Amino acid sequence: SSGINAEYTFSIPYDGKISDFNGLSSPKCGDEIEQLDVSQMKKPHQIRISFTGDPTEMAITWTTNGVSEHEQVNYGPLESDLNYTSTSISHQYKWHWNATLQQWKYTSGFIHEALMINLIPGRIHYYQVESNGEKSKVLSFKAAPESGSITPLSFFHVGDVGTFGTSVMVT
């Protein structure tokens, strides 16, 4: 298969319904909840896609506990033929230096970013992240309609207030 290698110098598609949340309970104010230990997560996780404003592109980001020579997303218009490849750039951030302990209070997992290009506007595309020697399951999204189209566009947005430490207090 022929592929285009696009290098990029950003979520899991959600196809559920509100009724999927019936019967679920949320933590109460003041409860502490356990956080994910990113240092143990070799397999790609926290996979998220972001619209760039161009209907022929989709940015993708994922997190792992390391970096290997194959940090990429394979994608295409057919689930059985993910013939395009985009390699990622990878980075890690550290937050709040503790001078007394001589260590960072928080170090993120490795964050990988790539750009899927040459998408067909308005069409479903499939993708699979290959990172850190592991592969995600095959996921999909529908590319935005062509610019100037009167086709309705809907999207789902989630905000993250950040993570640090080993637990989070629900407020």
Side-chain angles (χ1 to χ4, degrees):
S1 70
S2 66
I4 292 179
N5 194 354
E7 198 162 324
Y8 179 61
T9 312
F10 319 90
S11 317
I12 297 177
Y14 181 72
D15 58 4
K17 300 171 266 341
I18 293 294
S19 61
D20 294 342
F21 297 100
N22 289 345
L24 294 180
S25 61
S26 298
K28 305 282 186 278
C29 184
D31 288 351
E32 283 198 36
I33 56 174
E34 201 66 27
Q35 276 192 304
L36 181 68
D37 184 354
V38 295
S39 69
Q40 303 301 312
M41 299 297 293
K42 183 176 180 185
K43 190 169 184 169
H45 65 284
Q46 297 179 1
I47 299 169
R48 45 220 183 266
I49 55 174
S50 299
F51 180 54
T52 67
D54 180 338
T56 66
E57 297 178 344
M58 186 68 73
I60 183 168
T61 304
W62 66 93
T63 306
T64 63
N65 68 349
V67 178
S68 69
E69 61 187 60
H70 296 289
E71 304 296 337
Q72 63 193 37
V73 60
N74 304 309
Y75 63 99
L78 301 173
E79 186 173 5
S80 60
D81 191 10
L82 305 177
N83 61 351
Y84 295 101
T85 297
S86 178
T87 56
S88 78
I89 60 167
S90 302
H91 57 93
Q92 186 177 45
Y93 68 90
K94 297 177 180 186
W95 179 78
H96 190 70
W97 176 252
N98 184 324
T100 305
L101 298 175
Q102 292 293 296
Q103 67 184 20
W104 292 100
K105 181 172 182 174
Y106 178 77
T107 301
S108 73
F110 287 90
I111 301 162
H112 313 279
E113 300 177 8
L115 183 65
M116 295 180 276
I117 62 171
N118 296 325
L119 303 177
I120 303 166
R123 184 156 176 191
I124 293 175
H125 291 77
Y126 299 88
Y127 64 99
Q128 183 176 45
V129 173
E130 187 176 337
S131 187
N132 208 17
E134 302 279 337
K135 290 183 179 181
S136 71
K137 65 182 182 177
V138 176
L139 302 166
S140 66
F141 65 91
K142 187 173 185 178
E146 272 194 58
S147 297
S149 169
I150 59 171
T151 304
L153 176 65
S154 61
F155 60 93
F156 184 71
H157 176 267
V158 176
D160 182 355
V161 296
T163 60
F164 58 91
T166 57
S167 68
V168 174
M169 182 71 73
V170 177
T171 58

